[in-house]
Amino acid sequence: MSLNSYIDNIISTLEIMFIDLEKSIRDSNGALVSKFDNHKYIDSIDNVRYLNNNQNINVVVVALDDQSFVNNFTETLKELKNISFIIISETLNKEFTNLSNVINITNIKRLENTIAKTLKDRYKNAELYLNFENGRSYNLKTKKLFIEQEEVKLTPREQEFLDLLIENTNNILDHKTIQDKIWHESYDVNESAYKSLLNKLRNKVGKKTVKNISGKGYTINFQ
């Protein structure tokens, strides 16, 4: 699995709430005009209280063009900063467009792309772990390795090697490329130092995590 596929899989599980008071984002068959399946749907102002009452909510909300709804929901928009509001409106008050968690679009045709970008932007700011074998995981944000939630220290070169493998999840890194990138084309690197670094990293992240492609180089495996 590539890193991009891994992230896309996680994003697909994030919940989207559609607040559609005018029932304007459904097609002639009554289906939502959206390819995103993991969603909740609200068509009554009373149901919006769900946002205030649920402390664990972590969704992207798409509110439709209803100015009275927006006006009545002012304080909620300001307070629920953990939620991104995408509001489709041609006449949205600047008071709302200036809020950091509000995105205003004027054309429903932009909805799909806006939802996708918003989800990805939100997840970039979240904790992202890659899961390796035998309970090992690596936090891409903090650059820390864990075994069953206990941190395992990486040396600067081990971390650089691991990050290099992660950045090239679709490629096989040959020995020369690894040596040039890690030792920055220094002439003091030798085969012994290279193999020592490789073995130490594999012992920490798991031997199956750093896969040897015979005669070619190395690639990374994660779950």
Side-chain angles (χ1 to χ4, degrees):
M1 181 188 296
S2 71
L3 182 57
N4 285 336
S5 297
Y6 181 86
I7 293 174
D8 286 343
N9 285 345
I10 294 176
I11 286 174
S12 69
T13 68
L14 298 181
E15 183 180 311
I16 305 167
M17 181 178 289
F18 292 89
I19 302 177
D20 187 12
L21 306 184
E22 298 181 345
K23 300 180 177 61
S24 56
I25 55 169
R26 290 186 174 271
D27 60 24
S28 57
N29 296 318
L32 275 174
V33 185
S34 174
K35 66 181 180 183
F36 297 94
D37 295 325
N38 195 36
H39 63 261
K40 292 184 179 296
Y41 184 79
I42 291 178
D43 59 8
S44 167
I45 194 69
D46 293 332
N47 293 335
V48 175
R49 293 171 185 165
Y50 173 85
L51 289 171
N52 297 76
N53 296 333
N54 191 327
Q55 298 299 315
N56 297 319
I57 196 166
N58 182 24
V59 300
V60 174
V61 175
V62 181
L64 282 242
D65 193 0
D66 186 305
Q67 197 66 47
S68 62
F69 158 75
V70 175
N71 291 337
N72 291 331
F73 211 41
T74 305
E75 293 308 312
T76 299
L77 287 170
K78 292 179 178 179
E79 292 173 5
L80 297 181
K81 294 182 180 180
N82 65 314
I83 301 175
S84 296
F85 292 87
I86 302 174
I87 302 178
I88 303 175
S89 173
E90 294 183 358
T91 58
L92 192 63
N93 192 301
K94 288 185 178 180
E95 177 185 358
F96 306 111
T97 56
N98 289 334
L99 295 175
S100 60
N101 61 327
V102 172
I103 301 167
N104 179 215
I105 60 175
T106 59
N107 192 324
I108 198 170
K109 292 181 179 180
R110 293 179 51 201
L111 182 59
E112 290 294 318
N113 289 337
T114 304
I115 291 175
K117 183 180 184 306
T118 304
L119 288 173
K120 288 184 178 181
D121 287 347
R122 284 179 62 81
Y123 204 76
K124 284 178 183 176
N125 296 322
E127 298 292 312
L128 176 57
Y129 287 87
L130 294 183
N131 296 317
F132 302 147
E133 60 177 297
N134 299 327
R136 294 171 168 87
S137 62
Y138 183 62
N139 187 316
L140 286 172
K141 189 173 183 180
T142 63
K143 306 291 186 182
K144 292 182 179 180
L145 176 68
F146 297 89
I147 298 180
E148 300 294 350
Q149 299 183 344
E150 183 175 342
E151 184 180 353
V152 177
K153 294 293 185 180
L154 293 170
T155 66
R157 275 185 176 156
E158 288 169 352
Q159 181 180 307
E160 193 172 3
F161 192 179
L162 180 57
D163 286 340
L164 181 63
L165 288 165
I166 291 171
E167 290 167 5
N168 291 273
T169 52
N170 292 324
N171 303 314
I172 298 172
L173 287 174
D174 61 78
H175 304 289
K176 185 178 186 307
T177 298
I178 294 171
Q179 291 178 11
D180 287 347
K181 293 288 186 181
I182 302 302
W183 279 270
H184 308 289
E185 301 183 1
S186 171
Y187 290 103
D188 64 358
V189 61
N190 54 53
E191 192 68 18
S192 176
Y194 170 65
K195 288 186 177 180
S196 175
L197 175 63
L198 175 63
N199 290 333
K200 287 179 179 178
L201 179 62
R202 295 182 82 185
N203 285 334
K204 291 181 179 180
V205 302
K207 292 183 178 179
K208 293 181 181 179
T209 298
V210 181
K211 185 177 180 181
N212 179 20
I213 309 298
S214 181
K216 295 183 178 180
Y218 293 89
T219 187
I220 192 166
N221 287 325
F222 51 85
Q223 301 172 355

